[in-house]
Amino acid sequence: MGYWLLKSEPVAFGLVDLTAAPNQTTTWEGVRNYQARNFLRDGLQLGDQAFFYHSSTIRPAIVGIVEVVRAGYPDETAFDPISPYYDAASTPDQPRWYRVDIRLQRSLRRAITLAELKQHRDALGDFALLRRGNRLSVLPVTAAQWAFILSLEPTAPF
DNA sequence: GCCAACGTTGGC
DNA sequence: GCCAACGTTGGC
């Protein structure tokens, strides 16, 4: 079972949108970065969990947990000339870009902000989200990092 | 809005 | 293959 972090700009598609989506499920398409593509194609497996992260916003933060409900498959938006994600170099025979489908498992009881995560650099170790100049929209999380971050979320009220 | 980081493109 | 130019990401 693998763990990941998926970034999304809430202005474009945030937790509110995922919550409102049919079946609280969406397809994670339009990723046009090779490293992220490799994770989508080869890394994310059915049943894997991922943090849902809000980026490019006033308070960047992990806000939810999603589950992979369909592992990597070709991102067909690359084949569509009208799509903003169109890429003439990607063909059905030789797809260049991949996507996964995800479903909201639950919202976090509170947002765990990037600022807070930075305070725990030592505990988190080498965490892709905290690397300098990190721009990856799909990144791996170790089991230890996953457990630690979840431990920051308050449990039952009492 | 600014700027650092960094991936991509294209000329040579 | 090098590298400058350029575009995008994303935090602040």
Side-chain angles (χ1 to χ4, degrees), chain A residues 64-131:
Chain A
I65 296 174
V66 301
E67 180 183 3
V68 176
V69 292
R70 184 173 175 188
Y73 63 105
D75 181 351
E76 294 135 32
T77 61
F79 309 146
D80 179 2
I82 295 169
S83 168
Y85 303 128
Y86 178 63
D87 179 358
S90 185
T91 66
D93 281 350
Q94 296 246 307
R96 172 177 290 189
W97 306 112
Y98 282 73
R99 62 178 170 185
V100 300
D101 293 349
I102 58 165
R103 180 168 57 219
L104 180 65
Q105 223 165 45
R106 66 176 180 89
S107 304
L108 292 193
R109 289 185 286 277
R110 69 178 185 90
I112 298 175
T113 65
L114 177 62
E116 182 176 356
L117 293 172
K118 284 180 173 172
Q119 292 174 357
H120 297 288
R121 276 185 190 279
D122 290 347
L124 286 168
D126 185 20
F127 185 26
L129 186 69
L130 299 183
R131 274 184 214 143

Side-chain angles (χ1 to χ4, degrees), chain A residues 109 154-158:
Chain A
R109 289 185 286 277
T155 50
F158 304 103

Side-chain angles (χ1 to χ4, degrees), chain A residues 15-65:
Chain A
L15 184 65
V16 168
D17 303 290
L18 182 56
T19 301
N23 241 352
Q24 301 195 325
T25 298
T26 193
T27 186
W28 208 253
E29 67 190 11
V31 173
R32 296 293 180 266
N33 168 281
Y34 286 104
Q35 207 179 341
R37 185 281 310 269
N38 293 345
F39 288 135
L40 290 177
R41 186 188 59 190
D42 311 324
L44 280 74
Q45 300 300 315
L46 184 67
D48 280 2
Q49 288 177 294
F51 288 128
F52 189 82
Y53 176 87
H54 280 170
S55 68
S56 291
T57 185
I58 192 116
R59 234 168 129 250
I62 294 170
V63 293
I65 296 174

